[in-house]
Amino acid sequence: MQRWRGLEDIPEAAFFGSGGRSVVTIGSYDGVHRGHQLIIGRAVARARELGVPAVVVTFDPHPSEVVRPGSHPPLLAPHHRRAELMAELGVDAVLILPFTMEFSKLPPSEFVVKVLVDKLRAKVVVEGPNFRFGHKAAGNVETLKELGRTYDYEVEIVDLYERGEAGGGEPFSSTLTRKLVAEGDVAGAMEVLGRPHRVEGVVVRGAQRGRELGYPTANLETLPHTAIPADGVYAGWLTANGEAMPAAISVGTNPQFDGTERTVEAYAIDRVGLDLYGLHVEVDFLAFLRGQEKFATIDALLERMAVDVQRARELVAAHDGAQRS
C-alpha cells in the first residue's frame, strides 16, 4: 500500500492504471472501527469491480485542533496504525492531507476539484450518511452528489452504524470508543473496534519499583494525544519486536508510592531477563481487572499483584484459545 503525504506526493497517471480513475473515501477514520470498516470495505469492493485503486483520504492534525485549538480528541490510533489497518482491508493508497487553517477555508466545490477531481480522478466516492466537508463543514452528501453530476463521479452512501452491547446499544463510533476507553471498558471498546484497543510508545526508565518487587515492567512513553484507559489494572498483551506476550498492565499514578505522574506499564507474564529499553512497543488491552488502589502494606500489594497476574494469565490464555478454535 502506498502512503502519500500531501497532494504533491500523489504519483502520475501510472498508479491509476489504464482507466486513470480511482474509488475514494474521505474521513478521519480514527480507530478504523467496525463502522469505518464497512465504508472502507465497500470502497475496496467497488475499486475491485472497476479495476481501479481504492484510496482513503484523511487529515493530520485532526481538523478540530486547527479550527478550535486545544480541542484535539484523544486518538484511538496514530496514522501509521490506521494505515496498517486500512492495508489489511485492501486499500491501495492512503493520502494524508496536512490540515491547515488555509486548507480549512476551502469551500466544498474547491475541495472536490483540488482533491477528488484533479488529483485522485475519482470515479466513485464512498461515504457515511453524516459526512461533512469544506469550510465550516458546509458540504454534505447531497453537496457531494450534486458536484458529482458536474465532475463525473458517482457517490455511494454506506450506513456505518453498527450496534452491539457496547455503550448500551449506542451506534458504534470513534466518540463512543473514546468514552469506553476513558471509562476503562476495554472489552466494550474491543467490540466496537473489532480488536483490542492499543497504546504504543517507547520503553523508558521509570522508578524500577516493579523490578524490585519481582514484577519488572515496561514503562511506556506514549505518543501525543493517545487515548489511554482509565486508571487501573488490565489483562492484555505486550508486543515487542513482533512478539505478543501475555501481560498484566497498570495505568495510573502509582499511589502506593505517592506517585503523581500518570504512566502505562506492562509486565510480560512469565518472561525473564527482557531488555526492552529504547524499543517501540505496543500494549493491547483485553480486560479490566480492578481499579487503582493503595494497600496498607507492601506485602498486601504483592499478594494482590500475584492475583492480578494469575487472572491476566488466565484471561489471555482463554482468549487466545478461543481465537485458535
Side-chain angles (χ1 to χ4, degrees):
M1 186 186 75
Q2 296 194 22
R3 304 182 193 187
W4 307 324
R5 184 81 186 190
L7 295 175
E8 65 281 356
D9 277 357
I10 299 174
E12 296 302 318
F15 173 80
F16 296 94
S18 58
R21 306 295 292 271
S22 69
V23 175
V24 182
T25 184
I26 308 162
S28 291
Y29 289 128
D30 185 22
V32 193
H33 59 66
R34 286 169 56 188
H36 293 154
Q37 291 167 31
L38 292 176
I39 299 176
I40 296 170
R42 182 57 186 161
V44 170
R46 288 302 310 273
R48 298 296 177 266
E49 290 170 8
L50 297 169
V52 301
V55 181
V56 175
V57 178
T58 188
F59 309 97
D60 185 40
H62 194 283
S64 67
E65 181 64 15
V66 174
V67 178
R68 297 178 300 279
S71 66
H72 200 304
L75 292 180
L76 300 168
H79 279 290
H80 68 266
R81 175 62 173 156
R82 293 181 221 178
E84 291 170 0
L85 295 166
M86 291 172 184
E88 291 173 5
L89 294 171
V91 171
D92 297 295
V94 173
L95 168 62
I96 303 174
L97 291 175
F99 199 88
T100 62
M101 185 59 73
E102 180 183 3
F103 187 87
S104 75
K105 293 178 180 177
L106 286 179
S109 58
E110 193 170 344
F111 174 89
V112 164
V113 171
K114 287 175 69 76
V115 179
L116 296 180
V117 179
D118 290 350
K119 286 295 187 178
L120 297 179
R121 307 166 194 180
K123 175 67 175 175
V124 180
V125 181
V126 181
E127 294 297 340
N130 291 336
F131 175 65
R132 305 300 295 257
F133 69 107
H135 184 46
K136 295 185 177 180
N140 57 23
V141 293
E142 294 306 319
T143 313
L144 196 61
K145 289 177 180 178
E146 182 180 341
L147 291 166
R149 289 188 284 272
T150 301
Y151 294 106
D152 186 32
Y153 63 79
E154 174 191 343
V155 176
E156 184 169 338
I157 304 302
V158 176
D159 182 0
L160 76 166
Y161 294 120
E162 291 275 285
R163 294 176 186 267
E165 295 182 8
E170 185 177 332
F172 291 169
S173 68
S174 298
T175 299
L176 172 61
T177 313
R178 293 186 191 106
K179 177 176 179 289
L180 295 170
V181 169
E183 293 172 348
D185 185 359
V186 294
M190 183 164 61
E191 183 187 10
V192 180
L193 294 170
R195 65 184 183 281
H197 175 60
R198 172 173 291 183
V199 170
E200 57 184 273
V202 174
V203 178
V204 297
R205 292 191 182 275
Q208 298 189 307
R209 291 196 181 92
R211 186 176 302 277
E212 295 169 3
L213 296 172
Y215 296 95
T217 59
N219 186 359
L220 272 67
E221 184 176 71
T222 56
L223 301 177
H225 304 297
T226 296
I228 296 175
D231 291 354
V233 179
Y234 299 82
W237 297 266
L238 169 65
T239 299
N241 292 324
E243 181 185 3
M245 299 168 278
I249 308 154
S250 173
V251 178
T253 58
N254 202 344
Q256 191 71 36
F257 300 97
D258 300 320
T260 56
E261 183 179 351
R262 196 162 185 255
T263 61
V264 177
E265 302 178 62
Y267 166 64
I269 298 171
D270 300 327
R271 297 300 296 267
V272 178
L274 285 176
D275 183 6
L276 303 178
Y277 290 120
L279 293 183
H280 187 97
V281 301
E282 296 91 34
V283 172
D284 292 306
F285 291 81
L286 173 64
F288 177 82
L289 299 181
R290 64 174 174 87
Q292 184 175 246
E293 298 179 51
K294 183 172 183 177
F295 294 86
T297 65
I298 297 299
D299 285 344
L301 169 64
L302 287 170
E303 287 179 13
R304 188 53 190 264
M305 289 173 71
V307 171
D308 294 337
V309 168
Q310 179 58 26
R311 183 64 178 141
R313 182 188 287 113
E314 293 169 353
L315 287 168
V316 172
H319 181 274
D320 288 346
Q323 293 295 103
R324 288 191 292 268
S325 63

